[in-house]
Amino acid sequence: VKLKKTKTMAEITLGTAQFGYSYGIANRTGKIGIEAGREILTLARQHGVHTLDTAIAYGDAEAMLGEIGCSSWDVITKLPPLPKEISDISTWVENEVKSSLARLKVTSLYGLLLHHPSDLLGVHSRKLVAALLDLKEQGIVAKLGVSIYLADELDQLASFPIIDVVQAPMNIIDRELADSGWLTKLSHGKVEIHIRSTFLQGLLVLTPTERPTWTTKWDSIFRDWDMWIASTGMSRVEACLAHIRSYPEVDRIIVGVDCTEQTMEILKALEKTPLRAPTALSSDDEQLINPSRWVST
């Protein structure tokens, strides 16, 4: 099916964690194979998607992308945390980025993010900033940024003018970035806002019978979610994307997929009109909105 290209489609970024390992609570197929990965990239590119989000920490995702071929894409990758015992920051940064470029088989990156932005606040802050700016000055990296987990991390990071991009989680349940005021502040500061966890690592697309038992603590939220979905006539995927697209400050939405069918489902979902979900569906409970705090029972 050939879909009509729209500006919104161009704002989708293809996340590639699944290219490196089995990722997401709704993942039923495990790590993506190279042929499936090639089909996904081909389909996404045909429909206006031109940005890939990956990371050095995503297993062999970078190597797979390099094997498939991503030189015509805008590629964003992320540096791992600084090693505890390190003295030559500049050499470490240079070696990590060069190795990443070699795996990806590209000569430059659209974006380089810190997977652990707290490194900017540590004892090596000045040297790290200098090393990152040097990459930008050389033209190896177009934009620098951070990948955060909580909006309040930005309270300290905002003093660093090197930040061009902020990648953060936001979805129908987790609205901390918007509620804290940071979504607006970043937009006014001309910082690119890349949203991930639109589906809360897949939890929001599961039906009531598919949800894990540990989610029963938040049954009232999920009941309201199920009722609202039914009232909209949209699928869960469509509603999740429609909600994030209702925030004009958002520049890119990072979505991960397991197969071409999921890719097409997301592309078709972008034809729906943006729609803000009721605030009653939101929660600030970290046990729910932060997947690293999920405890299976």
Side-chain angles (χ1 to χ4, degrees), residues 179-196:
D179 293 344
S180 66
W182 271 113
L183 188 69
T184 300
K185 291 177 190 175
L186 292 171
S187 181
H188 287 171
K190 308 301 181 185
V191 174
E192 275 190 29
I193 301 166
H194 298 189
I195 295 301
R196 69 172 186 275

Side-chain angles (χ1 to χ4, degrees), residues 80-253:
L82 284 171
K84 291 184 178 180
E85 301 298 328
I86 187 171
S87 55
D88 192 341
I89 305 295
S90 178
T91 298
W92 179 82
V93 169
E94 182 180 3
N95 288 342
E96 288 290 332
V97 172
K98 282 185 175 179
S99 296
S100 188
L101 293 173
R103 286 189 293 271
L104 290 162
K105 298 181 181 177
V106 298
T107 56
S108 63
L109 298 167
Y110 176 80
L112 178 66
L113 311 184
L114 295 179
H115 227 152
H116 290 250
S118 58
D119 285 337
L120 281 175
L121 308 172
V123 295
H124 300 298
S125 175
R126 188 167 55 85
K127 291 180 180 178
L128 178 58
V129 168
L132 293 171
L133 287 175
D134 185 53
L135 291 172
K136 197 173 181 181
E137 289 167 5
Q138 292 181 57
I140 295 173
V141 175
K143 295 179 184 262
L144 299 169
V146 293
S147 174
I148 65 167
Y149 290 88
L150 301 171
D152 61 13
E153 292 179 68
L154 292 167
D155 296 341
Q156 292 176 291
L157 296 170
S159 60
F160 290 88
I162 69 164
I163 296 176
D164 306 306
V165 178
V166 167
Q167 183 185 120
M170 191 165 80
N171 51 65
I172 283 171
I173 293 180
D174 177 9
R175 307 189 195 187
E176 184 187 29
L177 190 68
D179 293 344
S180 66
W182 271 113
L183 188 69
T184 300
K185 291 177 190 175
L186 292 171
S187 181
H188 287 171
K190 308 301 181 185
V191 174
E192 275 190 29
I193 301 166
H194 298 189
I195 295 301
R196 69 172 186 275
S197 201
T198 302
F199 309 117
L200 193 51
Q201 282 201 13
L203 184 60
L204 288 171
V205 303
L206 297 178
T207 64
T209 57
E210 292 172 329
R211 288 182 200 126
T213 56
W214 59 262
T215 63
T216 55
K217 180 180 177 181
W218 301 279
D219 269 352
S220 62
I221 290 177
F222 285 111
R223 277 197 300 269
D224 288 346
W225 165 231
D226 295 333
M227 290 175 61
W228 183 70
I229 282 293
S231 73
T232 65
M234 290 190 288
S235 70
R236 297 174 191 277
V237 168
E238 289 169 343
C240 287
L241 286 166
H243 174 74
I244 295 301
R245 291 170 58 227
S246 75
Y247 292 91
E249 301 92 341
V250 175
D251 295 292
R252 298 176 190 268
I253 305 172

